[in-house]
Amino acid sequence: MDPVSMGLLTALAGGAGGELGRQAWTGLGELVRRPFRRGGAVGPEGSAPQGSASEGSGEAELAMLARDPGDAAAARALSVVLHRRAAADAEFEERLRRWDEAARRVSLTGGDVHNSISGGTFSAPVIQGRDFTGTTFGTSSADG
């Protein structure tokens, strides 16, 4: 699995994506706190088994990034530990892959909409908003 995008991690840690972003960040925290399994072995209280301390759970890195979402080094450290943990734990890798796919669908751009119309005469409907889907524009056969 490719490492989780540092940009995605910093954006979510910083609160981007509104409620969906918050849920994605919370989901990552829950995933990281799941017991670490390596070849089916689970250490005390879900920690990494003996001898794999260099491949920690990611909790410390997650907390570090949460404290300072703009810290690129913290984002890199979290991305690296997630990648290493995924390489050592097939179940974690699958769950992280699903989390990553879902998190990438969160819109990380601002959601504010500022529409305005001034002056002039409008002879057709005006539609204002953001993120329209399934909308078609044109005239019906009765109009033509």
Side-chain angles (χ1 to χ4, degrees), residues 4-17 21 25 28 61-62 64-79 82 99 108:
V4 176
S5 161
M6 293 184 331
L8 176 63
L9 293 172
T10 57
L12 293 175
W25 181 252
L28 180 61
E61 294 81 1
L62 186 76
M64 188 173 24
L65 185 57
R67 281 191 299 274
D68 185 1
D71 184 351
R76 187 179 310 94
L78 179 57
S79 179
L82 292 174
W99 175 87
L108 300 177

Side-chain angles (χ1 to χ4, degrees), residues 125 138-144:
T139 59
S140 67
S141 59
D143 292 340

Side-chain angles (χ1 to χ4, degrees), residues 3-88:
V4 176
S5 161
M6 293 184 331
L8 176 63
L9 293 172
T10 57
L12 293 175
E19 178 60 21
L20 290 176
R22 188 191 65 72
Q23 289 175 13
W25 181 252
T26 299
L28 180 61
E30 291 169 358
L31 179 61
V32 165
R33 285 185 286 280
R34 290 181 59 81
F36 188 109
R37 299 178 187 281
R38 183 183 185 121
V42 179
E45 298 178 22
S47 65
Q50 291 289 340
S52 58
S54 65
E55 298 179 67
S57 69
E59 286 186 70
E61 294 81 1
L62 186 76
M64 188 173 24
L65 185 57
R67 281 191 299 274
D68 185 1
D71 184 351
R76 187 179 310 94
L78 179 57
S79 179
V80 167
V81 78
L82 292 174
H83 182 72
R84 286 182 181 157
R85 184 170 171 188

Side-chain angles (χ1 to χ4, degrees), residues 125-127 132-141 143:
V126 174
I127 300 174
F132 292 98
T133 59
T135 305
T136 58
F137 299 92
T139 59
S140 67
S141 59
D143 292 340

